[in-house]
Amino acid sequence: MIINNSFCEAKGASLRNFNEDILMDSINGALALREHIEQIIDMIYDDDFDGIWFMGIGGTWASAMQAEVHVRGRSRLPIYCENAAEFLTTGNRKFTENSVAIISSVSGSTREILDLCDRIHEIGGKVFSFVDTPDSPLTKRDKSDYLIVYPKNEQLKFFMAADYLMYRNGEFDDYERFYENLENSLAEALAETEELTDPWAYRYAEKQAAFHEARPDMPHYFVGCGNQWGAVYSLGMCYWEEQFWIRCRTVQAGEFFHGMLEIIDRQTPVTLFMGEDEQRPLAERVADFLPRICENYAVIDTREFPLTGIRPEYRGRISHLVMRAVNNRIEAYMEMFLRHPMEIRRYYGRMKY
Amino acid sequence: MIINNSFCEAKGASLRNFNEDILMDSINGALALREHIEQIIDMIYDDDFDGIWFMGIGGTWASAMQAEVHVRGRSRLPIYCENAAEFLTTGNRKFTENSVAIISSVSGSTREILDLCDRIHEIGGKVFSFVDTPDSPLTKRDKSDYLIVYPKNEQLKFFMAADYLMYRNGEFDDYERFYENLENSLAEALAETEELTDPWAYRYAEKQAAFHEARPDMPHYFVGCGNQWGAVYSLGMCYWEEQFWIRCRTVQAGEFFHGMLEIIDRQTPVTLFMGEDEQRPLAERVADFLPRICENYAVIDTREFPLTGIRPEYRGRISHLVMRAVNNRIEAYMEMFLRHPMEIRRYYGRMKY
């Protein structure tokens, strides 16, 4: 993280809103869903499917994009992603009675997602749902053909489904070894990441909040790619815009050089997320260019974290989870410095639209 | 266009940078490529392809997205879109030696697009290129297996290829009738649109330029969907950011309600593009909501244009071209009011990166 280049202490940093036990239980509980996910995917895989579609809207659309890009370079399986609102209007003629949608919902009551299930059932396809909220509408038999109820860890759940699909298709020999590694070390590695990044996140948030005070109209620019792109998309829209009311512009690192760069000047606030997956070179190109034209940038590079216990060859596969851990810390302090509780909304839940 | 609700005159509006003859020749020339496009698509279609991929980067990626969404609800053909930078890093295992990429380039020398051709040829796939610039690197035999050299009209060229693919696949019975209608009336309908929208565009640009002067950090929000989404993406990045140096945030209308709405307040500048394709309801939902929370918005609705000669059932298929005509007028006056010539760049072509 170029903003400070070290994990030295910051006065005031205190691991705000961090409970290591809860975090680790949550991650390990998600990993423990594996057997159940495998049973469901076995049923789908053995059922002669013609397409598997990660679908979502807003934050879950972001996760769907992450799952799809994870699979894209690794598998010949007909795995796609699709935005729920677009599916409900444009539709997709490649989605048939032999197709399966994999979806996720925190509330289990998102309007478009419920409509999506009905549309899929009209076509004759099937729905595999991950739902956070027990007994919500999405958990009912008329909506979900396959169901797992467990809170949080949306990306992890989607990736577990995708990884087992690839394993069944002979495209992920390492599958067992990889998940053993995660079961042994992921929760601790992510908790460690939050602890290590906490002082830096405190200072970063302090700086962003002060800048926002001085120039409230200015959007924050987030750049990312690969399995980070969905994370960046969701970070800008679902966190900074929705929960902090700070303007944002997100861009895929590969697209950065095709127009958007012209709007970046010395004081434009830019945060670049660099992961360790195969799209890293696209982010590196931005990292090389940015300091020449901008002084108000931060580069968050997953490579700087030890991720103790995680085998080096698997680091890229969890870059998006590392980034979420860093953002957990940033958000805790943004909320504090902005004095803007993350749960307040101007419009959502306040009015009908 | 709610900003004025009529096509009344504005003092100073003068059809700046508009030449009806050149515009009409350009469009009719593109439509006259049809026979050549059909010959190429016939070769591809008869050659047992397993996938056809509209690919691009920046503005051409936007056009690729427009072509894909146009096909998505209409065809079972394996037609996809793909970002060139992502293909060069992540790759796509579904792209094989029997796959074909359809690409477009103005310069014929975009770095990622040339690399893309090489990568596709390594795989054994084929490239069908539309190139604006004769004798550019992309026109060479080692890059393009099928080639059409003709300037401008990128969307039209992509849609002609997509439409004929669907026709060959028995999914567009109306094909001949539709293109006859375009050949007889499209150029005139688009010229008419530019003429009708000119006074409004003058006032819109005057207002945006004044607002930008007063609040230069504030991004302009562009909302669109369906075959407009690519247009909106490109408008924000390739025009307002790159050519006017005005900050932008673009959002798919269906995603607007999943986070981004919270950042819109009374004075936030928002322009909503409403087309007449199947995703129109997503834009209508935004149009209904926006006036309740924002006074600084404009709705540009293709329905308000007569499009003389175009059969009503085909209007939705050309909504993105109508929007480009409107934006031509807006850009002519933005350039004038901002005193910012569209050809200047801070970084592109000025430094290496």
Side-chain angles (χ1 to χ4, degrees):
Chain A
M1 293 176 286
I2 289 174
I3 207 169
N4 76 334
N5 281 323
S6 79
F7 299 120
C8 62
E9 281 303 311
K11 196 181 154 208
S14 58
L15 284 162
R16 182 174 187 267
N17 295 350
F18 179 75
N19 183 315
E20 185 167 345
D21 292 339
I22 291 176
L23 176 77
M24 288 186 53
D25 285 351
S26 173
I27 293 165
N28 286 325
L31 288 167
L33 299 172
R34 186 149 68 99
E35 202 182 339
H36 193 177
I37 291 172
E38 289 176 355
Q39 285 166 358
I40 291 172
I41 294 293
D42 280 335
M43 285 190 276
I44 293 169
Y45 192 88
D46 295 335
D47 208 24
D48 204 25
F49 64 95
D50 65 3
I52 292 180
W53 305 69
F54 288 94
M55 293 194 187
I57 193 157
T60 57
W61 162 236
S63 299
M65 289 194 285
Q66 290 178 287
E68 188 276 331
V69 78
H70 173 64
V71 170
R72 197 191 301 161
R74 295 181 167 92
S75 174
R76 290 208 173 177
L77 284 171
I79 295 177
Y80 312 101
C81 64
E82 178 89 24
N83 181 286
E86 295 193 54
F87 191 78
L88 288 168
T89 48
T90 288
N92 193 318
R93 288 207 50 212
K94 289 189 280 296
F95 191 100
T96 75
E97 67 278 9
N98 298 315
S99 301
V100 180
I102 302 181
I103 63 174
S104 172
S105 177
V106 174
S107 67
S109 60
T110 312
R111 166 183 152 172
E112 286 94 339
I113 298 301
L114 297 175
D115 291 348
L116 179 73
C117 295
D118 294 340
R119 181 64 55 87
I120 286 168
H121 288 143
E122 281 165 33
I123 297 166
K126 289 209 167 73
V127 178
F128 173 11
S129 303
F130 292 100
V131 186
D132 286 26
T133 310
D135 299 323
S136 57
L138 193 53
T139 65
K140 306 304 173 196
R141 264 183 189 281
D142 66 321
K143 301 296 178 206
S144 299
D145 302 283
Y146 310 106
L147 175 67
I148 288 180
V149 179
Y150 183 82
K152 300 186 177 170
N153 302 286
E154 186 169 274
Q155 286 91 345
L156 192 49
K157 294 181 237 176
F158 272 5
F159 275 58
M160 286 165 77
D163 281 340
Y164 188 63
L165 276 162
M166 292 193 284
Y167 172 73
R168 281 297 313 265
N169 208 44
E171 297 167 326
F172 190 8
D173 295 341
D174 253 16
Y175 173 80
E176 287 291 350
R177 184 167 173 267
F178 172 64
Y179 276 97
E180 249 172 54
N181 192 201
L182 295 196
E183 284 154 16
N184 290 330
S185 303
L186 180 65
E188 223 158 323
L190 294 180
E192 171 194 70
T193 300
E194 291 210 33
E195 283 162 23
L196 284 172
T197 203
D198 191 66
W200 176 84
Y202 178 93
R203 281 201 307 281
Y204 174 89
E206 187 175 30
K207 181 178 169 180
Q208 303 310 325
F211 184 87
H212 177 65
E213 187 79 21
R215 293 175 72 170
D217 286 348
M218 177 69 98
H220 194 102
Y221 290 74
F222 289 110
V223 189
C225 53
N227 63 25
Q228 311 271 3
W229 165 241
V232 161
Y233 179 90
S234 157
L235 179 71
M237 189 163 82
C238 305
Y239 290 85
W240 286 52
E241 287 178 343
E242 180 172 4
Q243 302 188 52
F244 294 134
W245 303 351
I246 293 183
R247 300 181 189 284
C248 279
R249 159 73 158 108
T250 54
V251 69
Q252 218 278 357
E255 291 286 279
F256 178 88
F257 290 102
H258 294 271
M260 211 214 69
L261 77 165
E262 297 289 338
I263 203 65
I264 307 295
D265 60 16
R266 188 173 68 94
Q267 296 206 345
T268 307
V270 185
T271 301
L272 169 65
F273 292 88
M274 291 181 76
E276 292 162 83
D277 67 358
E278 69 284 352
Q279 289 194 23
R280 181 176 176 88
L282 303 180
E284 283 174 339
R285 192 178 175 207
V286 179
D288 289 341
F289 174 73
L290 213 42
R292 299 175 66 193
I293 60 158
C294 178
E295 60 163 27
N296 191 16
Y297 71 92
V299 178
I300 302 176
D301 185 351
T302 61
R303 235 186 220 173
E304 296 190 27
F305 295 99
L307 307 181
T308 304
I310 300 293
R311 289 175 189 273
E313 64 270 32
Y314 298 146
R315 292 176 60 99
R317 286 181 172 263
I318 62 163
S319 290
H320 58 299
L321 303 176
V322 176
M323 209 53 82
R324 177 91 302 274
V326 174
N327 282 317
N328 285 342
R329 294 295 84 221
I330 290 173
E331 286 146 21
Y333 295 114
M334 288 295 286
E335 182 180 49
M336 186 185 82
F337 282 115
L338 291 167
R339 296 298 191 275
H340 185 108
M342 291 178 74
E343 60 268 38
I344 64 173
R345 298 288 181 278
R346 277 195 179 104
Y347 314 120
Y348 174 70
R350 312 302 302 170
M351 53 191 283
K352 293 207 170 185
Y353 47 79
Chain B
M1 291 175 288
I2 289 177
I3 208 168
N4 76 333
N5 282 323
S6 79
F7 300 118
C8 63
E9 280 304 312
K11 194 181 154 210
S14 57
L15 284 160
R16 182 175 188 267
N17 295 351
F18 178 75
N19 183 314
E20 185 168 344
D21 292 338
I22 291 175
L23 177 76
M24 290 187 51
D25 286 351
S26 172
I27 294 166
N28 286 325
L31 288 167
L33 299 172
R34 185 149 69 97
E35 202 182 338
H36 193 178
I37 292 173
E38 289 176 355
Q39 286 167 355
I40 291 173
I41 294 293
D42 279 335
M43 286 190 276
I44 293 169
Y45 191 88
D46 295 334
D47 206 25
D48 203 25
F49 64 96
D50 65 4
I52 292 179
W53 306 70
F54 288 94
M55 295 195 185
I57 192 156
T60 57
W61 162 236
S63 298
M65 290 194 285
Q66 290 179 286
E68 188 278 330
V69 78
H70 172 66
V71 170
R72 197 191 301 161
R74 296 180 166 94
S75 174
R76 290 207 172 178
L77 283 171
I79 295 177
Y80 312 100
C81 64
E82 178 89 24
N83 181 286
E86 296 194 52
F87 191 79
L88 288 169
T89 47
T90 287
N92 193 318
R93 286 207 52 212
K94 290 190 279 298
F95 191 99
T96 74
E97 67 280 9
N98 298 314
S99 302
V100 180
I102 302 181
I103 63 175
S104 172
S105 177
V106 173
S107 67
S109 60
T110 312
R111 169 183 148 169
E112 287 94 338
I113 298 301
L114 297 175
D115 291 348
L116 179 73
C117 295
D118 294 341
R119 181 66 53 89
I120 286 167
H121 288 142
E122 280 164 34
I123 297 167
K126 289 207 168 71
V127 178
F128 173 10
S129 304
F130 292 102
V131 186
D132 286 27
T133 309
D135 299 322
S136 57
L138 193 54
T139 65
K140 306 303 173 197
R141 266 184 188 281
D142 64 321
K143 302 296 178 204
S144 300
D145 302 284
Y146 309 107
L147 174 68
I148 289 181
V149 179
Y150 183 82
K152 298 186 177 171
N153 302 285
E154 185 169 275
Q155 286 91 346
L156 192 49
K157 294 182 238 175
F158 271 4
F159 275 57
M160 287 166 77
D163 282 340
Y164 188 64
L165 276 163
M166 292 193 283
Y167 171 73
R168 281 296 313 264
N169 208 44
E171 296 167 327
F172 191 7
D173 296 342
D174 254 14
Y175 174 79
E176 287 290 349
R177 185 168 172 266
F178 172 64
Y179 277 98
E180 249 170 56
N181 192 200
L182 295 197
E183 284 154 17
N184 290 330
S185 303
L186 180 65
E188 223 158 322
L190 294 179
E192 171 195 71
T193 300
E194 291 209 33
E195 283 163 22
L196 284 170
T197 203
D198 191 67
W200 175 85
Y202 178 94
R203 282 201 305 281
Y204 173 90
E206 187 175 30
K207 181 178 169 181
Q208 303 311 324
F211 185 88
H212 176 66
E213 188 78 21
R215 293 174 72 170
D217 285 349
M218 177 69 99
H220 194 102
Y221 290 76
F222 290 109
V223 189
C225 54
N227 62 26
Q228 311 272 2
W229 165 241
V232 161
Y233 178 90
S234 156
L235 179 70
M237 188 163 84
C238 305
Y239 291 85
W240 287 51
E241 288 178 342
E242 180 172 3
Q243 301 187 53
F244 293 135
W245 304 351
I246 293 182
R247 299 181 190 284
C248 278
R249 159 75 157 111
T250 55
V251 69
Q252 218 278 356
E255 291 285 280
F256 178 89
F257 290 103
H258 294 272
M260 211 215 68
L261 77 166
E262 297 289 338
I263 202 65
I264 307 293
D265 60 16
R266 189 173 68 93
Q267 297 206 345
T268 308
V270 185
T271 301
L272 169 65
F273 292 88
M274 291 180 75
E276 293 163 82
D277 67 359
E278 68 285 350
Q279 290 194 23
R280 183 177 175 87
L282 303 179
E284 283 173 340
R285 192 177 176 208
V286 178
D288 290 343
F289 174 73
L290 213 42
R292 299 175 65 194
I293 60 158
C294 179
E295 61 163 26
N296 191 16
Y297 70 92
V299 178
I300 301 177
D301 185 351
T302 61
R303 233 185 222 173
E304 295 189 29
F305 296 99
L307 306 180
T308 303
I310 299 293
R311 290 175 188 274
E313 64 270 31
Y314 298 146
R315 292 176 61 98
R317 286 181 172 263
I318 62 163
S319 289
H320 58 299
L321 302 177
V322 177
M323 208 54 82
R324 177 90 305 269
V326 175
N327 282 318
N328 285 342
R329 295 294 85 222
I330 290 173
E331 286 146 20
Y333 294 115
M334 288 295 286
E335 182 180 49
M336 186 186 81
F337 283 115
L338 292 167
R339 297 296 191 277
H340 185 110
M342 291 178 72
E343 60 268 37
I344 63 172
R345 298 289 182 278
R346 278 195 179 103
Y347 314 120
Y348 174 70
R350 312 301 303 171
M351 52 191 284
K352 292 208 170 184
Y353 46 79

